[in-house]
Amino acid sequence: MLEAAAEAAAIDTIRITSGGQDALGEGTRRTGSTRHDRGRAADLQCVVGGTTLTFTDQSAPPGILRFVTAAAAAGANGIGAGVGYMGNRTIHVGFGTSVSDHAELTWGAGGRSATAPQWLRDAAAAGWATPAPPTIAPAAAGAAAARGRYAVIARNGLKLRGGPGTNFGSEITLHAGTELEVVERSSVDPAWVRVDVQGDGLLDGYVFAAFLAPVASGPNSEDAAEPGGMS
């Protein structure tokens, strides 16, 4: 979910300051609330161009707003931020207190919903009102990102990276609607695919497959089924 949100918001790096802890009563490796148990939430910072984005209780930069909206759209239902909560650069993003807790909440200082900055409420609400983007599970990635023609469906564009992961640099952003050829799925991380953007048979890099949609065959395509289901 974090990787998908980072790609959608054009965030270069997600720096996790707390997350992935043992569940209460099952271990001693604990640094956050029970929401953090078993990797269900994390406290994190967004880094763009080597700079950690900051915010105030009154406003936040576009990158933070896009990230919160994208995280909410990708399934996060618990998001907290505020100068009096964890400072001006750290955000809590995750799920409910249990697998059955689907309440959509934002909060700020003191962990109270009433203190959530208005920009946080608005950005999260925008994401919760948006249908969740498709996710690529390793078992299904082969079918969802098979070889063929695809188009970029990320509203803010999709970064073309030198390798299968956000830790690889990017100098090019493919705009929404850009068509490309998926050549192969990464054996390192099935959520990423290797692509040919120019259509010349040469490899250009990797993109996050969740933000690609198959390009429908036109009526004159040899691959299109004929009327009556004949092929």
Side-chain angles (χ1 to χ4, degrees), residues 81-133:
V83 176
Y85 177 47
M86 290 190 294
N88 68 344
R89 61 183 61 192
T90 304
I91 302 175
H92 171 102
V93 177
F95 306 100
T97 54
S98 68
V99 294
S100 60
D101 179 8
H102 303 296
E104 296 172 345
L105 297 174
T106 57
W107 59 83
R112 296 185 296 118
S113 295
T115 61
Q118 190 61 50
W119 61 260
L120 178 67
R121 299 182 192 182
D122 294 343
W128 290 327
T130 302

Side-chain angles (χ1 to χ4, degrees), residues 21-121:
Q21 67 182 12
D22 295 329
L24 187 65
E26 296 181 1
T28 58
R29 189 171 57 88
R30 300 182 54 79
T31 57
S33 71
T34 54
R35 283 182 176 269
H36 290 231
D37 291 357
R38 298 173 179 165
R40 291 187 56 77
D43 297 332
L44 56 87
Q45 299 170 353
C46 297
V47 182
V48 176
T51 300
T52 302
L53 301 183
T54 61
F55 51 81
T56 67
D57 287 334
Q58 290 71 44
S59 64
I64 291 287
L65 298 178
R66 289 196 301 265
F67 177 77
V68 170
T69 297
N77 64 321
I79 307 176
V83 176
Y85 177 47
M86 290 190 294
N88 68 344
R89 61 183 61 192
T90 304
I91 302 175
H92 171 102
V93 177
F95 306 100
T97 54
S98 68
V99 294
S100 60
D101 179 8
H102 303 296
E104 296 172 345
L105 297 174
T106 57
W107 59 83
R112 296 185 296 118
S113 295
T115 61
Q118 190 61 50
W119 61 260
L120 178 67
R121 299 182 192 182

